[in-house]
Amino acid sequence: MSTRASGRTVGGLRTLSLQAPAVGLLLMWMLIPLVMTLWFSFQRYNLLMPSVSGFAGVDNYYYLLTDPSLWTAMGNTLLLVGWVLVATVVGGTLLAVLLQQEFFGRGVARLFVIAPFFIMPTVSALVWKNMMMHPVNGIFAWIASLFGLPAIDWFASLPLTSVIIIVTWQWLPFAVLILLTAIQSLDDDQVEAARMDGAGPLAIFFYITLPHLKRAISVVVMIEMIFLLTIFAEIFVTTSGGPGLATTNLAYLIYIRALLDFDVGGASAGGVIAIILANIVAFFLVRTVAKNLEN
């Protein structure tokens, strides 16, 4: 028994020694930026005023939390995340059900629906800004002219809505991909039995298809929300956070503090707040997804 125990101990030590370099490198890669962000968040560090430095305590956090722009940015972040999630989940579910049906050219249709997800955010934002939503040369302006309607200057009159449309177009294919994969595992015998019992398409959708997609929808919501909290490129390319703060989210506000105001301390405090909010959201989302997977 002692020989077996010592053998297991030696094997465990060998495994640990092999894993230690990779785990140590991963911890350094994660912890060093976090520790530096925490350190700078308690410092007076403004690149425009290098003579003013030293320990600031919680002044950076107090200034940020009492700044109305923070709450405006957080409100814009919630609106952006909420509307994109609703649009992608609802639209992704309907498209997944549609693309599951048999029709001519289904493979090509699936390819075109999923393709936008592989376009870089900067490129998609430029395409929408210059080719779709341009008030003079855009496709939307051309369609409006066909009906004798005035063209809409999207980024001036509906800036946040414009960003939501762009981000939704980019993330809708991801939802379709996950939900289409999930719907393909639906038991056809169950659907046929429901049809034989007289269930119509709506009844099959609400009582069979939708409950089957519950887990996949939870995964889509969790993954999208984590990434949508850090949306930056679409805002930077199209509106630069404006007009005013109309499209400034939390990530873009941190960019303004760090690279436009050169306030490293204030930007670091904003980064810490963003990390706390992201972890709170991730905690509840992971618990929700875990419950759905258990059920």
Side-chain angles (χ1 to χ4, degrees):
M1 295 295 293
S2 60
T3 304
R4 292 181 180 179
S6 61
R8 287 196 296 268
T9 303
V10 172
L13 290 175
R14 288 176 179 175
T15 303
L16 182 61
S17 64
L18 292 174
Q19 295 175 348
V23 174
L25 181 61
L26 182 62
L27 288 175
M28 291 177 60
W29 179 62
M30 295 175 60
L31 292 178
I32 289 177
L34 177 60
V35 172
M36 291 184 65
T37 302
L38 286 171
W39 168 258
F40 284 123
S41 69
F42 292 104
Q43 300 295 315
R44 293 185 180 90
Y45 189 8
N46 193 311
L47 298 178
L48 296 178
M49 295 180 292
S51 59
V52 180
S53 60
F55 183 71
V58 295
D59 289 348
N60 290 326
Y61 292 95
Y62 177 79
Y63 173 76
L64 192 63
L65 292 173
T66 56
D67 187 358
S69 61
L70 173 67
W71 304 106
T72 301
M74 292 182 66
N76 291 336
T77 303
L78 293 176
L79 287 174
L80 175 62
V81 173
W83 280 111
V84 172
L85 283 177
V86 170
T88 53
V89 170
V90 174
T93 302
L94 296 179
L95 282 174
V97 173
L98 177 63
L99 292 174
Q100 181 63 15
Q101 308 303 314
E102 292 286 347
F103 60 89
F104 177 75
R106 184 176 66 171
V108 177
R110 288 179 175 181
L111 178 63
F112 281 124
V113 169
I114 297 172
F117 182 67
F118 301 99
I119 300 176
M120 291 183 294
T122 305
V123 176
S124 64
L126 286 173
V127 169
W128 277 89
K129 179 180 180 180
N130 297 315
M131 297 182 63
M132 301 295 294
M133 294 180 171
H134 195 280
V136 178
N137 302 317
I139 293 179
F140 289 166
W142 174 72
I143 295 174
S145 66
L146 294 178
F147 296 94
L149 300 174
I152 300 176
D153 191 351
W154 288 87
F155 296 108
S157 57
L158 299 169
L160 187 59
T161 302
S162 304
V163 175
I164 291 173
I165 292 174
I166 295 172
V167 177
T168 300
W169 179 81
Q170 185 179 358
W171 280 95
L172 181 61
F174 172 78
V176 174
L177 182 62
I178 300 299
L179 296 174
L180 182 59
T181 304
I183 205 173
Q184 288 175 346
S185 64
L186 180 62
D187 189 4
D188 293 334
D189 294 337
Q190 187 178 5
V191 177
E192 289 299 327
R195 288 175 179 171
M196 293 179 63
D197 290 338
L202 290 178
I204 293 175
F205 174 76
F206 283 107
Y207 293 103
I208 296 178
T209 305
L210 203 56
H212 178 76
L213 294 177
K214 184 178 180 181
R215 297 180 179 179
I217 291 174
S218 300
V219 173
V220 169
V221 171
M222 181 182 69
I223 296 176
E224 282 194 12
M225 182 170 289
I226 292 173
F227 283 94
L228 292 175
L229 288 173
T230 61
I231 288 294
F232 175 81
E234 294 84 348
I235 298 173
F236 179 78
V237 171
T238 56
T239 63
S240 297
L245 296 173
T247 56
T248 299
N249 64 347
L250 189 56
Y252 199 84
L253 181 66
I254 295 172
Y255 161 76
I256 293 175
R257 289 285 187 270
L259 298 180
L260 298 183
D261 297 340
F262 299 99
D263 185 6
V264 178
S268 299
V272 173
I273 293 175
I275 291 171
I276 294 173
L277 291 177
N279 278 275
I280 292 174
V281 171
F283 173 77
F284 287 105
L285 285 176
V286 168
R287 290 190 61 183
T288 303
V289 172
K291 288 181 180 178
N292 289 333
L293 292 177
E294 289 176 358
N295 296 330

